[in-house]
Amino acid sequence: MQLYTKITIGLIVGVMVGVAANLINAATGNHVLIDAIGVTKPLGTAFIRAITMIVIPLVVASLLVGVASLGDLRVLGRFAGKTLAYYITTTAIAVTIGLALSNLVKPGGRIAPESRAQLLAEYSAQTEGSIALAAEKPAVKDLLLNMIPTNPIDAAANGDMLALIVFTLVFGAAASLLRDDLKRAFLGFFEAVNEISMIVIGWIMKTAPYAVFVLLAAVTADFGFDVLRSLVLYTVTVIAGLLLHATFTYSLAVRVIGRVSPLYFFKRVREAQILGFSTSSSNATLPVTLAVAERELGVSNRVASFVLPLGATINMDGTALYQGVAVMFIAQVFGIDLHWMAQLTIVLTATLASIGAAGVPSAGIITLLVVLQQAGVPETGIALILGVDRILDMLRTAVNITGDLSAATCIARTENELVETEATSLA
Ligand code: ASP
């Protein structure tokens, strides 16, 4: 049986067990099953920690090797230009889809006043925590400055991916200018680190079906299904937007730019999507995203190692789309009319906010506060949506990762770096 099939079974059984535990607890007050799931929860956490453990060595090694072997630094500039253009364009499209759907559906216009009061009261404590976290966020000027690490080891130790990527790019670019014998020695070592990382990922992924089962059981067992009822329209709007963006925007991009059949693309990226969904973290999924790009889609290491770590850090279409819907929803609940100029500003701020969000669980809700502030919508409104955020985080992370992989496919094609297979050569 394929690994993907086993992981899918883990996911489905996990959801079933979690929902059963939740319903039994709600109906009878019997929480034996919920407690049992609680006991297994550390296994899921262990899996996420193990796979995250490999991110730094893998990103550094594969990016160094990729950049050092480019040969010409102008190629690096071209990669960077294309990648950023792709990321920003698709993210802006994603927010626009979110806003358009919210105008159409008006999910906040139909929420009952008692639900509103209840949600605001229930989640007010968590809201304060998020607002405090958001207040710690540095200003745009500092964000740009922080991209230059004063100490790369410190950046790696703190998981500051953008700073680490900048350092690695500079080092790799310089390495490409080395004398041949030195370059070979340098690349040889990091190629080995890259290979070792892949072997370790292979080991960790053997446990993925069990980990996904535990992670999904835990999320659904804890989930407040009552909250879903009052937020059903909002949840459906976000999900519809995510589906629309994934099927429409990415299919079009991989078909027109990548010249790959969308069906083939979606079939090949399932493993990364499912892991993104289960972990809610683009960063934790990165080792698998890299493996999927190279092994399943035939993207060269040079393109994948550049486009994907950057994407996991700055490209979050799902997050941006959800932020668009969330701002509109909260504004509608509070009776604030956001006309088209205000909505245009949201396209800009949500794009930037999604770039600023880290690839970790719930990062999007923190940067959403900036978008709310900018739009003049009360920040306390996030209390309304916190109850369903866990589930939406899973979905938007899967979309974020799909976006990164679509970029890798398209950029590889334009650079002639897509290994020809029967399906990728349909041109
Ligand atoms: N969890 C998302 C990610 O890692 C970020 C977010 O939207 O919260 O891609």
Side-chain angles (χ1 to χ4, degrees):
M1 205 193 292
Q2 270 190 331
L3 182 62
Y4 165 75
T5 316
K6 288 189 196 161
I7 299 177
T8 312
I9 295 174
L11 185 139
I12 295 170
V13 180
V15 171
M16 281 167 28
V17 172
V19 171
N22 192 310
L23 294 180
I24 292 171
N25 184 37
T28 66
N30 180 332
H31 45 78
V32 175
L33 200 49
I34 292 213
D35 292 346
I37 292 171
V39 173
T40 61
K41 218 170 161 177
L43 293 175
T45 315
F47 171 78
I48 295 185
R49 289 183 67 107
I51 196 140
T52 309
M53 159 180 95
I54 221 68
V55 168
I56 301 284
L58 179 67
V59 167
V60 171
S62 83
L63 195 54
L64 271 179
V65 174
V67 174
S69 62
L70 281 180
D72 184 346
L73 291 187
R74 271 171 304 182
V75 179
L76 182 62
R78 206 172 60 219
F79 272 23
K82 284 183 187 175
T83 309
L84 291 180
Y86 185 95
Y87 282 162
I88 292 173
T89 312
T90 48
T91 306
I93 294 175
V95 193
T96 311
I97 292 178
L99 292 176
L101 276 183
S102 313
N103 282 309
L104 210 71
V105 179
K106 299 213 177 357
R110 288 173 232 185
I111 189 162
E114 56 276 16
S115 302
R116 171 184 140 163
Q118 197 189 348
L119 288 166
L120 284 175
E122 201 168 320
Y123 291 96
S124 65
Q126 267 189 49
T127 309
E128 275 163 31
S130 302
I131 291 177
L133 266 180
E136 287 170 17
K137 283 245 152 208
V140 175
K141 178 187 76 171
D142 296 328
L143 271 180
L144 292 175
L145 278 177
N146 289 346
M147 281 169 61
I148 308 170
T150 50
N151 177 350
I153 309 289
D154 182 59
N158 287 313
D160 185 353
M161 292 295 285
L162 214 47
L164 187 66
I165 289 172
V166 168
F167 168 78
T168 313
L169 281 177
V170 174
F171 232 66
S176 71
L177 304 176
L178 281 178
R179 221 177 48 221
D180 262 2
D181 57 331
L182 279 182
K183 184 149 82 176
R184 225 170 300 126
F186 175 83
L187 285 184
F189 174 75
F190 283 103
E191 262 162 22
V193 175
N194 196 8
E195 293 282 315
I196 294 169
S197 308
M198 285 300 187
I199 296 173
V200 177
I201 292 161
W203 291 343
I204 300 168
M205 283 305 287
K206 288 214 166 74
T207 65
Y210 312 102
V212 166
F213 163 76
V214 172
L215 287 167
L216 265 296
V219 170
T220 40
D222 285 345
F223 190 67
F225 284 96
D226 292 347
V227 181
L228 193 58
R229 213 166 303 136
S230 49
L231 288 174
V232 76
L233 216 49
Y234 162 74
T235 310
V236 168
T237 311
V238 176
I239 295 176
L242 292 174
L243 283 175
L244 209 66
H245 185 61
T247 47
F248 173 75
T249 316
Y250 298 148
S251 293
L252 201 69
V254 296
R255 185 73 193 84
V256 176
I257 309 175
R259 300 218 294 279
V260 165
S261 136
L263 273 182
Y264 164 87
F265 171 79
F266 282 108
K267 209 167 147 210
R268 294 286 164 133
V269 300
R270 292 182 308 193
E271 197 176 318
Q273 285 179 323
I274 227 168
L275 209 67
F277 179 80
S278 311
T279 59
S280 289
S281 167
S282 301
N283 281 0
T285 314
L286 184 55
V288 174
T289 317
L290 277 162
V292 161
E294 292 179 33
R295 194 188 58 218
E296 302 289 328
L297 294 168
V299 175
S300 73
N301 174 264
R302 302 192 321 168
V303 170
S305 68
F306 179 80
V307 173
L308 295 173
L310 202 63
T313 318
I314 67 165
N315 182 47
M316 302 203 177
D317 295 358
T319 303
L321 189 148
Y322 131 85
Q323 289 183 337
V325 179
V327 177
M328 292 296 287
F329 172 74
I330 297 170
Q332 287 163 358
V333 174
F334 284 111
I336 301 168
D337 185 26
L338 293 172
H339 48 88
W340 70 270
M341 250 327 260
Q343 294 192 27
L344 211 60
T345 319
I346 293 174
V347 175
L348 190 74
T349 47
T351 302
L352 291 176
S354 70
I355 292 175
V360 297
S362 300
I365 196 102
I366 306 296
T367 57
L368 169 64
L369 289 162
V370 181
V371 187
L372 287 169
Q373 242 172 23
Q374 195 74 33
V377 177
E379 295 163 52
T380 45
I382 66 161
L384 296 167
I385 55 170
L386 276 175
V388 288
D389 205 63
R390 186 73 189 79
I391 300 287
L392 294 181
D393 193 7
M394 297 164 85
L395 287 162
R396 64 187 190 243
T397 307
V399 172
N400 292 343
I401 287 161
T402 314
D404 300 342
L405 284 164
S406 76
T409 308
C410 292
I411 288 155
R413 170 64 81 196
T414 62
E415 290 290 332
N416 252 334
E417 300 260 355
L418 202 61
V419 176
E420 294 291 327
T421 66
E422 221 174 284
T424 56
S425 64
L426 55 81

